[in-house]
């Protein structure tokens, strides 16, 4: 059953835009029916790599599921087979047959595309080249938006599903590139190197993305939420069909994006996420575990539960959503400094390519890309974006202006008290590794460690090293020349939380505990949780992160077939 059969129109008529969105989804599904009927399976290799004996890795990739929400859902709502797999909960994250890492964190920004790119390469954004859900590539003047925030077009969503856009941009090998055995991936944007990729029709997913962006404006949120659950439900039969047709692969990724989409639109977002896990995700996980049992390989399989980020409840209005009213917020401020702005479109016409500044939004973060304006002083003259901006003439005026607006200089009152921190650094040529971002303290830029020594921020967990992963390296320039961190986190009243997107009930992208504290759990039936903990801790150390997942999987694949070495 596909997700369209689950749509139920409300008794009251939808507004016109809601009807248009619904029509888009119907049209997309009809036009791609052949793709859906053949199971959405696409071979990524000429030949599927030869199967190898276990152990196998089964990864449940849970988009947007914070550690605490996962633990709460398991506490009161695990399905029978999932409960059997994990066994009784003991202490310190140990279950009878599983281990939940209690302090694993995301990279920055804590968003979907860079999160999964880091998880499946083991390298941070400054080294793997994927810095955001949307970002600007200076050397090609290309704006990429696999998950669009500031732009409306969904072309890159389709390209990510049908043309492996993320894989083409990634600068490091994926886990799937390097496996000695087959890899199957369901739905995930990062699937380069997989032998099989299963997904719904690209046009369906693109239409759902458009509906997601429009849904907050119409009377159709209930419909949209159910459609996201349908997206997750529709993916699992394709996973099971692929296993039945080809056997269990060495690594299987089962990605559930609907949780994240649902949470953004749910009014009581964290509570709603727990309910979604229990009512939608866990039964789907149960179905996949059941197929592994029928295949006779469940006892030989390590089951990993991994997420890319958490969620923080925010106010769903234009005052807190900093991508709204652009002329009164970041875009307007840059224009007031004389910068010609790149239009907020995925592609721009040649006559509009004389822009000197670009904005890309990441929820709690915003990237500001700046040109060397000496190369394009006259309107109509295209800037040389292969050159870095000038520090004194281009970068620091922007830093000072945002700091002044945040402190309430009166020119941009809608930016007052919205920013937590402003980051910048000395620019370098594209061919050189970028410097780590520094923090502006009101008079000068300070190294992050020095700033935190003077202004401790326990709420921004592991800020220095996570910002280094984002900003210092061969592709660190893809995180902008100035970085704005909005005020956010559960430690602040909800009225004091801001985010760079259009309005939602929850957002993420920042360095707060709630955004950053991810699910990372490893289970194996009939293997003691203490043994799993010992093996895992030996790999991930005291400060585990998403960058440890690839080394962890490689270690597990090297274990004896009957379990971790004792």
């Amino acid at each position: 059953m596909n997700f369209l059969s689950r749509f139920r129109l409300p008794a009251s008529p939808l507004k016109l835009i809601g009807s248009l969105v619904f029509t888009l989804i119907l049209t997309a599904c009809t036009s791609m029916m052949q793709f859906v009927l053949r199971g959405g399976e696409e071979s990524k290799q000429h030949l599927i790599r030869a199967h190898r004996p276990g152990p196998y890795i089964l990864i449940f990739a849970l988009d947007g599921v914070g550690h605490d929400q996962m633990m709460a859902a398991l506490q009161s709502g695990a399905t029978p087979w999932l409960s059997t797999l994990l066994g009784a909960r003991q202490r310190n994250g140990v279950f009878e047959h599983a281990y939940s890492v209690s302090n694993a964190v995301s990279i920055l920004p804590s968003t979907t595309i860079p999160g999964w790119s880091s998880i499946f390469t083991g390298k941070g954004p400054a080294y793997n080249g994927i810095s955001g859900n949307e970002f600007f590539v200076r050397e090609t003047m290309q704006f990429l938006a696999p998950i669009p925030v500031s732009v409306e077009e969904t072309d890159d969503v389709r390209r990510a599903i049908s043309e492996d856009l993320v894989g083409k941009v990634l600068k490091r090998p994926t886990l799937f590139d390097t496996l000695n055995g087959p890899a199957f991936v369901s739905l995930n944007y990062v699937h380069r190197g997989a032998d099989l990729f299963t997904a719904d029709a690209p046009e369906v997913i693109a239409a759902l993305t458009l509906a997601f962006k429009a849904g907050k404006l119409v009377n159709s949120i209930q419909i949209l939420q159910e459609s996201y659950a349908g997206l997750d439900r529709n993916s699992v039969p394709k996973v099971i069909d692929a296993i039945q047709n080809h056997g269990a692969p060495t690594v299987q990724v089962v990605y559930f994006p609907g949780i994240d989409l649902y949470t953004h639109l749910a009014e009581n977002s964290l509570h709603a996420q727990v309910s979604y896990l229990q009512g939608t995700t866990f039964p789907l996980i149960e179905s996949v575990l059941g197929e592994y049992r029928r295949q006779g390989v469940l006892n030989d399989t390590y089951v990993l539960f991994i997420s890319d980020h958490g969620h923080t409840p925010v106010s769903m209005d234009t005052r807190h959503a900093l991508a709204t009213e652009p002329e009164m917020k970041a875009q307007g401020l840059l224009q007031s400094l004389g910068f010609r702005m790149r239009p907020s479109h995925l592609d721009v016409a040649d006559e509009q390519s004389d822009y000197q500044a670009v904005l890309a939004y990441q929820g709690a973060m915003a990237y500001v890309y700046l040109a060397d304006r000496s190369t394009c002083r006259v309107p109509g003259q295209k800037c040389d974006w292969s050159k870095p901006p000038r520090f004194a003439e281009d970068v620091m005026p922007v830093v000072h202006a945002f700091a002044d607006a945040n402190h309430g200089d009166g020119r941009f009152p809608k930016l007052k008290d919205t920013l937590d921190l402003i980051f910048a650094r000395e620019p370098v040529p594209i061919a050189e590794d970028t410097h780590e971002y520094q923090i502006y303290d009101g008079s000068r830029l300070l190294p992050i460690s020095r700033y935190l020594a003077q202004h401790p921020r326990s709420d921004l967990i592991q800020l220095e090293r996570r910002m280094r992963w984002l900003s210092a390296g061969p592709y660190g320039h893809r995180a902008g020349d100035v970085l704005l961190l909005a005020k956010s986190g559960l430690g602040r009243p909800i009225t004091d939380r801001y985010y760079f997107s259009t309005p939602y009930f929850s957002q993420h992208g920042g360095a707060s505990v709630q955004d950053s504290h991810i699910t990372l759990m490893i289970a194996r039936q009939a293997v003691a949780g203490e043994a799993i903990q010992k093996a895992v801790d030996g790999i991930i150390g005291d400060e585990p992160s998403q960058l440890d997942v690839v080394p962890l999987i490689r270690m597990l694949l090297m274990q004896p077939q009957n379990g971790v070495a004792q």
Side-chain angles (χ1 to χ4, degrees), residues 83-98:
S83 296
T84 299
L85 172 70
L86 304 178
R89 190 170 185 172
Q90 298 174 358
R91 62 186 184 279
N92 299 325
V94 177
F95 291 69
E96 186 178 359
H97 303 300

Side-chain angles (χ1 to χ4, degrees), residues 408-419:
D409 67 356
R411 292 186 302 157
F412 290 89
K414 294 199 173 185
L415 285 174
K416 181 181 179 182
D417 295 329
T418 61
L419 303 179

